[in-house]
Amino acid sequence: MTRPPFPTAVIFDLDGVLVDTARFHLAAWRRIADELGFEFDDEVGEALKGVGREAALLVLTRSGGVELDAATAERTAQRKNRYYNESLATLDASAFLPGAEAALGWLHGRGIPIALASASRNARTILVACGIEDRFDAIVDGTSVPLAKPDPAVFLAAAAAIGVDPSEAIVFEDAIAGVDGALRAGCRVIGVGDPAVLLRAELTVPDLTGVDWPALMGRA
Ligand code: BG6
Ligand code: MG
């Protein structure tokens, strides 16, 4: 299938793209590393982004040379989620990252299909807390697709849910795992963050205010 000249749909990651929650995930993992007695490394922090909870725990413990049995790993992942949820308790619309609310409004106002593709099982809680659940034509998250990024499954499911071929969708991602998963799905990808980290994205913006939506989508 030949790619249309402009994307016909947009797929957003949530944490670190639309809302400022990536730092809460990192703070919770840092606390777990402290408890397990090793130092949290910022480079490992990048590798934890976009990755599902259990897989992230494995990456973290490996980085600290720690091995947990299955039961301890499960309890530790639950504890991390408790810490994370403590920081979500006061979350509201002030957590939007720059340009996020305006982007959703612009796309929604033109009837452009919008999907969420998040690895998080807390995604819906966040969307509700920020009052943006109704902006999405489809919500695909860690509760609906167990295979986390960099597997392409979450992006394939998101494209299917809004009725577009993955090649017609443009994905916004802040995580290396997310950029790789979206590319594997056959989507175009714009990185949100540092171009030196998100090397495989076709373009990287510091945040969504850096996107010229009419030019990107070929719409006035
Ligand atoms: C992703 C985050 O969106 O969700 C990861 O970038 C996180 O850091 C993953 O591990 C799973 O989230 P949760 O909320 O289900 O633990
Ligand atoms: Mg993210």
Side-chain angles (χ1 to χ4, degrees):
M1 179 176 178
T2 43
R3 214 183 262 272
F6 296 103
T8 58
V10 180
I11 301 177
F12 287 105
D13 171 50
L14 178 65
D15 297 311
V17 170
L18 295 174
V19 289
D20 191 13
T21 43
R23 65 196 172 97
F24 296 143
H25 276 296
L26 291 180
W29 286 127
R30 193 180 288 277
R31 197 165 157 190
I32 295 291
D34 279 354
E35 289 171 359
L36 295 176
F38 61 87
E39 205 164 316
F40 185 86
D41 166 345
D42 287 342
E43 228 167 87
V44 174
E46 280 304 330
L48 298 178
K49 286 185 187 170
V51 176
R53 197 181 306 160
E54 287 71 20
L57 176 62
L58 203 60
V59 173
L60 180 76
T61 49
R62 279 201 185 132
S63 79
V66 169
E67 208 175 310
L68 303 179
D69 61 58
T72 312
E74 196 184 325
R75 276 200 311 276
T76 310
Q78 282 168 1
R79 204 160 70 247
K80 183 268 170 178
N81 194 45
R82 205 173 66 237
Y83 298 156
Y84 179 59
N85 273 272
E86 282 166 14
S87 43
L88 292 186
T90 55
L91 197 82
D92 59 21
S94 66
F96 282 126
L97 285 166
E101 216 176 350
L104 292 172
W106 190 90
L107 294 163
H108 188 71
R110 279 153 189 80
I112 296 169
I114 310 174
L116 186 86
S118 169
S120 175
R121 278 170 265 167
N122 293 295
R124 225 170 252 276
T125 308
I126 294 170
L127 297 181
V128 171
C130 296
I132 50 168
E133 211 190 356
D134 64 349
R135 287 299 195 212
F136 296 88
D137 299 289
I139 295 171
V140 179
D141 61 20
T143 64
S144 38
V145 175
L147 284 172
K149 305 165 187 179
D151 193 282
V154 69
F155 299 104
L156 294 172
I162 49 176
V164 300
D165 188 88
S167 66
E168 294 174 50
I170 189 122
V171 171
F172 286 84
E173 256 298 345
D174 71 318
I176 299 166
V179 169
D180 291 345
L183 288 174
R184 277 189 209 167
C187 302
R188 291 177 56 187
V189 192
I190 296 188
V192 180
D194 183 351
V197 172
L198 304 172
L199 294 169
R200 287 177 286 283
E202 69 175 50
L203 169 82
T204 301
V205 290
D207 59 47
L208 295 176
T209 60
V211 182
D212 181 346
W213 291 101
L216 178 69
M217 305 303 293
R219 302 277 279 266

